[in-house]
Structures are given as structure tokens and as C-alpha cells.
């Protein structure tokens, strides 16, 4: 009887797995028109960011005093910039800060060129992923998929349709849910990560989801019938 029960169980599991909906697992489903996706993401500078600010000009020696190893944004959102003094930088985009510094340096340097980089750009990914933890990146255009990829991808049990992103916007924590199974997610303000974002991937409940498997009641009935017949035959 044990052999009969084993083979019937295998058959049931095969039927069970065949009716699982792929809609909960496949990324970016639906329209594939990504022509309107912006690639000009410009991160906003935050308190405690570590900035690299490199100033170049034709007069190399004149620019040297401004090129410190790095600049730490203090808890008031300021940096201490040589010659100019304390500058409010928190809340500015990198592009905006470049423009402001160029104006301030115009009286000291001829046609200065300024490059700014966030040295401690990181995203924390927790929950149902292959390798949770703090993920550091050397560039600013980090997407949610980059963060997920750096974390070993989502497990098969992860809720791809309800990922939580905790974001700090000028000291205010915001809690945002995103669905990466939909193609239009690429137009979301959370497609690109901000530094210090927290991504939490919740696990689906460890139970059979009847809405994802509409044929389950039929298969359950078949299994019950086969089990009953097996028991009667083997008596």
C-alpha cells in the first residue's frame, strides 16, 4: 500500500505544480514599451553622505586647495569647503551642487570643471533574497533590480508584487510598496534607488494559494478518490 500511496502522491504533486500561476514570479510583465523611461537620474545629497569633489582648471596649482580627499555632509546638511566656508548641500542634486559650486568658484578660478561623486552610496536589502545585507555601489544610477541582483535575486517564495521600500526624504521616512511583476514599474520613482534606501522583501505565506491555482479543488478531489480506491484495493 505504501508504494501505491507514494506514486499517487507524486502524481498529485505534479498536477499541483503544473497549475501554479507564473504571474507571481515573472518580472516586468505586460507592455514592453520602455521608450519613456528616464535615464537621467540625479541623486539628492543627504546628511552623512561622503562626497568626492574634484575641481579642475587650467591653473592646476590654483585648484589644488579645493581638492580635499573627501567631504562629509554633517548633520545640518553642510560641508566645510576650502576658502568659501560652510555650504548647505543636503537637498541639492549633484547637478545642482555642481552649478552652485561653479558660481562660487568663478571669482577664484577660470572656467572650473567640477566632478562630484557620492562615495558611500549603499542600499540595504533584507527579507526573502539569496544574500541579504548592505550593498555598496560605485555609481549613482542604481536600480531596484541592481540591488536585488547584488543580493542573489529573490527566492521563489518572495512577494515580487509587494516589495517595501523605506526611503528617507529630507529626514522624513516614507514607506512605499512596489510591484516588480508589472512592466510599468520602470516608470516608478522607486525604479532608481536613493542612497540609504531600505528594501524589504516579504515571504509569501507557506500555504496553498487557491487564487493562484484555480484547478486545485478538482485535483484535490481526484487525489481523494484515488486514495480511497487504493485503500479499498489493498485491503
Amino acid at each position: 500500500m505504501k508504494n501505491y500511496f507514494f506514486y499517487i502522491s507524486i502524481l498529485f504533486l505534479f498536477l499541483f505544480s503544473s497549475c501554479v500561476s507564473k504571474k507571481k514570479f515573472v518580472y516586468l510583465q505586460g507592455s514592453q514599451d520602455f521608450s519613456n523611461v528616464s535615464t537621467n537620474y540625479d541623486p539628492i545629497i543627504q546628511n552623512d553622505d561622503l562626497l568626492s569633489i574634484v575641481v579642475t582648471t587650467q591653473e592646476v596649482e590654483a585648484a589644488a586647495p579645493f581638492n580635499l580627499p573627501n567631504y562629509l555632509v554633517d548633520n545640518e546638511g553642510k560641508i566645510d569647503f576650502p576658502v568659501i566656508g560652510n555650504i548647505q548641500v543636503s537637498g541639492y542634486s549633484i547637478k545642482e551642487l555642481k552649478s552652485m559650486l561653479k558660481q562660487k568658484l568663478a571669482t577664484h578660478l577660470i572656467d572650473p570643471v567640477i566632478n562630484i561623486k557620492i562615495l558611500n552610496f549603499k542600499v540595504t536589502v533584507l527579507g526573502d533574497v539569496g544574500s541579504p545585507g548592505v550593498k555598496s555601489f560605485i555609481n549613482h544610477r542604481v536600480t531596484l533590480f541592481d540591488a536585488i541582483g547584488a543580493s542573489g535575486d529573490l527566492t521563489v517564495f518572495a512577494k515580487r508584487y509587494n516589495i517595501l521600500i523605506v526611503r528617507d526624504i529630507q529626514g522624513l521616512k516614507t514607506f512605499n510598496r512596489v510591484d516588480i511583476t508589472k512592466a510599468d514599474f520602470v516608470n516608478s520613482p522607486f525604479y532608481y534607488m536613493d542612497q540609504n534606501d531600505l528594501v524589504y522583501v516579504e515571504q509569501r505565506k507557506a500555504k496553498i494559494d487557491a487564487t493562484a491555482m484555480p484547478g486545485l479543488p478538482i485535483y484535490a478531489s481526484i487525489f481523494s478518490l484515488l486514495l480511497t480506491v487504493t485503500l479499498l484495493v489493498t485491503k
Side-chain angles (χ1 to χ4, degrees):
M1 184 180 78
K2 290 182 178 180
N3 288 336
Y4 284 111
F5 184 80
F6 172 77
Y7 289 120
I8 291 174
S9 298
I10 293 297
L11 174 63
F12 176 72
L13 289 174
F14 172 76
L15 295 172
F16 171 84
S17 61
S18 66
C19 64
V20 175
S21 172
K22 293 182 178 180
K23 291 183 178 180
K24 291 190 176 182
F25 299 96
V26 180
Y27 300 143
L28 301 177
Q29 301 171 55
S31 173
Q32 301 298 314
D33 181 11
F34 299 148
S35 59
N36 294 323
V37 178
S38 174
T39 58
N40 298 319
Y41 173 72
D42 195 15
I44 304 300
I45 296 169
Q46 303 177 9
N47 294 1
D48 300 320
D49 279 352
L50 191 64
L51 304 180
S52 166
I53 302 177
V54 178
V55 180
T56 57
T57 184
Q58 292 180 348
E59 301 172 314
V60 178
E61 293 183 0
F66 301 102
N67 291 318
L68 300 182
N70 52 63
Y71 295 84
L72 178 64
V73 183
D74 64 23
N75 57 9
E76 294 181 350
K78 298 178 180 180
I79 60 173
D80 188 5
F81 202 76
V83 181
I84 297 174
N86 285 333
I87 302 174
Q88 181 72 37
V89 297
S90 181
Y92 285 81
S93 69
I94 288 180
K95 183 177 180 180
E96 291 169 341
L97 181 56
K98 283 182 181 180
S99 177
M100 179 180 69
L101 287 177
K102 190 169 185 178
Q103 290 178 2
K104 290 181 178 295
L105 291 173
T107 58
H108 304 282
L109 302 172
I110 299 174
D111 296 326
V113 176
I114 301 169
N115 288 296
I116 300 174
K117 185 176 182 179
I118 300 173
L119 298 178
N120 58 342
F121 195 105
K122 66 183 187 298
V123 176
T124 302
V125 184
L126 301 176
D128 220 36
V129 295
S131 176
V134 178
K135 310 301 173 181
S136 298
F137 299 90
I138 60 174
N139 61 77
H140 304 149
R141 290 184 63 249
V142 178
T143 70
L144 177 56
F145 291 110
D146 291 328
I148 289 173
S151 304
D153 204 355
L154 306 182
T155 74
V156 294
F157 300 105
K159 285 186 177 181
R160 290 158 171 76
Y161 48 88
N162 193 27
I163 295 176
L164 173 65
I165 298 177
V166 181
R167 176 167 295 177
D168 189 313
I169 301 178
Q170 297 299 297
L172 178 65
K173 297 290 185 184
T174 65
F175 297 81
N176 316 274
R177 299 278 180 175
V178 300
D179 181 354
I180 63 172
T181 68
K182 302 294 180 60
D184 61 3
F185 167 66
V186 297
N187 298 313
S188 165
F190 303 101
Y191 177 68
Y192 285 104
M193 297 278 92
D194 277 357
Q195 67 272 35
N196 304 317
D197 274 356
L198 167 64
V199 178
Y200 177 68
V201 183
E202 189 177 351
Q203 186 180 51
R204 290 186 291 114
K205 292 181 180 179
K207 66 179 183 180
I208 297 172
D209 188 346
T211 62
M213 293 166 281
L216 182 60
I218 297 175
Y219 294 128
S221 298
I222 294 174
F223 175 71
S224 178
L225 176 61
L226 290 175
L227 181 59
T228 301
V229 172
T230 301
L231 292 174
L232 290 174
V233 169
T234 55
K235 278 187 176 181

